[in-house]
């Protein structure tokens, strides 16, 4: 069933739904190799639409605000933030955990779904891998900014220094350095390795010499040879296998930062699994918040079909239930432990001065996502976008609740103190969003944002693109 | 005038290419390669391509893991010992997270650099890029190239053989 020039036709209708109302197709009707190449590879080669320019402008303004916030911080020290004793970990750590969490969906989609032969990763893996990189970059900045003397951050690395001192390898904070560093490196390699064949496609389609040269440089001379593909596929699969335990380990290590300490509200064995589920939850929410507008602006509905969005919504619903279970178990264990500090922490969290934050969290992260049970809401991009936005904010609030309410009232009432963020705290938070969005806009503009070679594979083997 | 690099046959889909590759291998050609815009299942095997990448990745992972554990043990139990409340100096469970992370890092770096390095990349220039149609190897066409350095290569006979595989075209790849 081939057209005269040899490209197979996908003949399934779109959208079509399975018995349970799930969309079944990964590709819109009538896609050919050439239509896919054209749609995806032309975006980096042509001028950006107005909405891109406007979005980039706003993101860049936020990035400049970040620059101001950081400059002021470096000039004055961490005292410009609202942190003090006992809340010595403020927004920086909240932002750190939030950004690392967002990163996780990228690796989940690109690695775990690859190992499970889930073809619905095809059109979204490049996006979410890029999102992983940029989110980890934002996350990695936060602890550095929080250092009293950020210029000696390299003391965290094991190098034979003149002081004869080594890092304390038993400390979760040092584990963090290695966990996040490895995570960033592996994510970058994984992303770039997947990108090389697509850069070759852009190189071969480019009309202008300078475009050919730039994309040719980054395509490394890729020739699509069978032996290249063989090593590429093995390396890609192995990197996926290696990144899979990373997804689980990185956020587990992040949760150790808390759970290894004896602070009530932190010292809990539920933390690693609950953090990982929350990470995937927020990551999928952020992916949807990015993918839905991009899909609309660049008219990618026939490549990122309803089935992708529906599956992502389902994952959010599932991980959201795990997170809700985590909230419940935290409260239950606080009561069941019989420990007065744990019990008081839980009472304080729900009914203390930050109680309204806790209940906002319950609404945003537990109540609102229940809307995803409805297929109509999952299929409507606007309502899905709104639910995802709630989850994103909710997950940030969750980290605020964990960090701030646990710290502000610990063992000794005389040491209790409220935390209130300053404008520099807020500027750092929104500024880091600016950094993330700026990088995301540049990514959309400069490289093929959907894996072209994997989409071509779906066209060559249409049975992979649809479920019965 | 030097010898050309080889002969390049163009096909319209991956099934034809896979069939052609199997026939060429059966006909005794070994120094050849196939080109497709996506990884075609079974194609490297049909051409008799093998790779030792998985073994190298295993070795890279082991070096990363052993190196990490050695580093932690040397730093915290030999070179700079801090006795905290008489707890064990060689507290191995606390050394596991970093050992794990660096195992993954070692294996990942090996997988990335050797997958490209063993393929001879980066290499911006290659005789195949001299064939204008070859641009479509990254888009929608499938190619089989038999190189002149193959012991069975003979300009006329090999061309006739490639023609017998029903390609869209056969082109000579200049050196």
């Amino acid at each position: 069933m081939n057209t005269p020039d040899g490209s197979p036709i996908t003949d399934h209708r779109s959208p079509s739904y399975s018995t349970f109302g799930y969309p079944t197709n990964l590709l819109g009707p009538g896609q050919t190799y050439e239509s896919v190449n054209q749609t995806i590879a032309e975006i980096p080669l042509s001028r950006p639409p107005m909405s891109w320019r406007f979005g980039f402008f706003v993101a860049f303004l936020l990035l400049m605000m970040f620059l101001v916030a950081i400059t002021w911080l470096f000039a004055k020290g961490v005292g410009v933030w609202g942190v003090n004793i006992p809340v010595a970990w403020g927004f920086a750590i909240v932002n750190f955990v939030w950004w690392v969490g967002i990163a996780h969906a990228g690796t989940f989609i690109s690695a775990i779904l690859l190992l499970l032969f889930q073809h619905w990763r095809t059109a979204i893996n490049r996006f979410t891998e890029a999102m992983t990189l940029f989110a980890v970059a934002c996350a990695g900045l936060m602890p550095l900014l929080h250092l009293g003397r950020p210029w000696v951050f390299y003391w965290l690395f094991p190098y034979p220094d003149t002081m004869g001192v080594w890092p304390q390898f038993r400390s979760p904070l040092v584990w963090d350095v290695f966990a996040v560093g490895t995570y960033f490196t592996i994510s970058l390699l994984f992303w770039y390795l997947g990108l090389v064949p697509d850069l070759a496609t852009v190189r071969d389609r480019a009309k202008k010499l300078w475009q050919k040269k730039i994309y040719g440089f980054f395509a490394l001379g890729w020739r699509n040879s069978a032996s290249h593909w063989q090593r590429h596929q093995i390396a890609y699969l192995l990197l996926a296998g290696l990144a899979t335990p990373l997804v689980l380990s990185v956020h587990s290590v992040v949760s150790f930062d808390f759970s290894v300490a004896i602070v009530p509200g932190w010292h809990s064995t539920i933390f690693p699994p609950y953090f990982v589920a929350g990470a995937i939850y927020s990551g999928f929410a952020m992916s949807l918040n990015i993918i839905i507008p991009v899909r609309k602006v660049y008219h990618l509905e026939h490549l990122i079909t309803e089935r992708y969005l529906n599956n992502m919504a389902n994952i959010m619903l599932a991980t959201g239930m795990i997170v809700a279970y985590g909230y419940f178990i935290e409260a239950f264990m606080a009561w069941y432990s019989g420990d007065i500090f744990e019990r008081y922490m839980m009472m304080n969290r729900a009914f203390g001065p930050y109680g309204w934050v806790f209940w906002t969290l319950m609404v945003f992260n537990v109540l609102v996502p229940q809307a995803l049970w409805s297929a109509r809401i999952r299929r409507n991009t606007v309502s899905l976008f709104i639910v995802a936005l709630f989850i994103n904010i909710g997950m940030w609030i969750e980290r605020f609740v964990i960090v701030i309410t646990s710290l502000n009232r610990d063992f000794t009432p005389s040491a209790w103190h409220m935390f209130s963020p300053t404008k520099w705290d807020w500027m750092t938070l929104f500024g880091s969003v600016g950094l993330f969005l700026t990088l995301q806009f540049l990514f959309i503009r400069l490289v093929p944002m959907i894996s072209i070679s994997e989409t071509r594979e779906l066209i060559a083997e249409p049975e992979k693109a649809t479920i019965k | 005038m030097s010898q050309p690099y080889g002969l390049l046959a163009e096909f319209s889909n991956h099934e034809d290419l896979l069939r052609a590759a199997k026939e060429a291998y059966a006909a005794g050609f070994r120094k050849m390669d196939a080109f497709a815009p996506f990884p075609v299942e079974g194609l490297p095997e049909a051409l008799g391509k093998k790779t030792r990448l998985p073994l190298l990745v295993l070795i890279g992972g082991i070096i990363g893991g052993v190196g990490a554990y050695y580093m932690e043990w040397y730093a915290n139990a030999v070179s700079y010992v801090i006795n905290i409340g008489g707890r064990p100096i060689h507290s191995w469970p606390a050394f596991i997270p970093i050992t794990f992370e660096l195992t993954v890092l070692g294996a990942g770096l090996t997988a990335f650099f050797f997958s490209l390095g063993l393929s001879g990349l980066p290499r911006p220039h290659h005789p195949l890029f001299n064939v204008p149609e070859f641009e479509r190897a990254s888009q929608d066409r499938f190619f089989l190239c038999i190189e002149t350095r193959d012991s069975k290569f003979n300009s006329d006979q090999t061309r006739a053989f490639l023609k017998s595989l029903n390609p869209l075209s056969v082109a000579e790849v200049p050196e």
Side-chain angles (χ1 to χ4, degrees), chain A residues 55-68:
Chain A
F56 182 74
F57 177 71
V58 173
F60 194 72
L61 281 185
L62 284 171
L63 176 63
M64 290 301 106
M65 187 179 77
F66 193 41
L67 203 61
V68 172

Side-chain angles (χ1 to χ4, degrees), chain B residues 55-166:
Chain B
L55 180 68
L56 292 172
V57 174
L58 178 69
I59 294 170
I62 291 173
I63 291 174
V66 173
Y69 195 92
Y70 175 78
M71 171 184 78
E72 294 179 82
W73 168 78
Y74 175 76
N76 283 172
V78 178
S79 173
Y80 190 74
V81 180
I82 308 176
N83 184 338
I84 301 164
R87 291 196 190 87
I89 294 301
H90 182 196
S91 54
W92 68 268
F95 295 162
I96 296 303
I98 292 179
T99 306
F100 164 75
E101 297 294 344
L102 292 191
T103 306
V104 170
L105 187 64
L109 289 173
T110 317
F112 179 80
F113 287 106
F114 278 84
S115 75
L116 294 174
L118 292 176
S119 302
L121 300 177
R123 180 182 176 184
H125 300 284
H126 193 274
L128 281 164
F129 291 132
N130 297 332
V131 183
E133 296 85 30
F134 192 69
E135 277 193 352
R136 295 184 72 176
S138 68
Q139 300 182 48
D140 56 357
R141 282 294 159 83
F142 302 79
F143 296 89
L144 181 70
C145 178
I146 298 180
E147 296 169 27
T148 43
R149 62 196 172 98
D150 190 283
S151 56
K152 282 202 70 181
F153 189 89
N154 170 304
S155 194
D156 297 330
Q157 284 169 16
T158 307
R159 185 181 283 271
F161 170 75
L162 284 174
K163 283 254 160 82
S164 74
L165 300 171
N166 265 334

Side-chain angles (χ1 to χ4, degrees), chain A residues 287-349:
Chain A
S287 321
L288 281 171
N289 280 159
I290 294 168
I291 287 172
I292 290 174
V294 170
R295 173 180 185 261
K296 177 102 182 120
V297 167
Y298 288 96
H299 310 292
L300 299 172
E301 286 90 348
H302 53 286
L303 292 177
I304 307 172
T305 52
E306 271 188 7
R307 186 169 152 203
Y308 288 96
L309 304 183
N310 182 67
N311 284 4
M312 292 169 82
N314 284 340
I315 297 257
M316 281 203 309
L317 186 57
T319 48
M321 297 306 277
I322 301 176
V323 169
Y325 172 78
Y327 297 151
F328 170 75
I329 283 293
E330 265 197 312
F332 173 78
M333 290 311 291
W335 169 76
Y336 190 68
S337 69
D339 182 277
I340 73 161
F341 298 109
E342 286 287 339
R343 282 188 174 184
Y344 179 74
M345 178 283 299
M346 203 57 223
M347 288 303 289
N348 178 48
R349 191 174 273 186

Side-chain angles (χ1 to χ4, degrees), chain A residues 166 169-170 201 204 225-226 229 456, chain B residues 33-34 36 76 79 89 91 138:
Chain A
W166 290 96
F169 287 119
R170 299 177 189 92
T201 303
D204 292 344
S225 118
W229 276 122
R456 281 191 294 247
Chain B
D33 210 342
N76 283 172
S79 173
I89 294 301
S91 54
S138 68

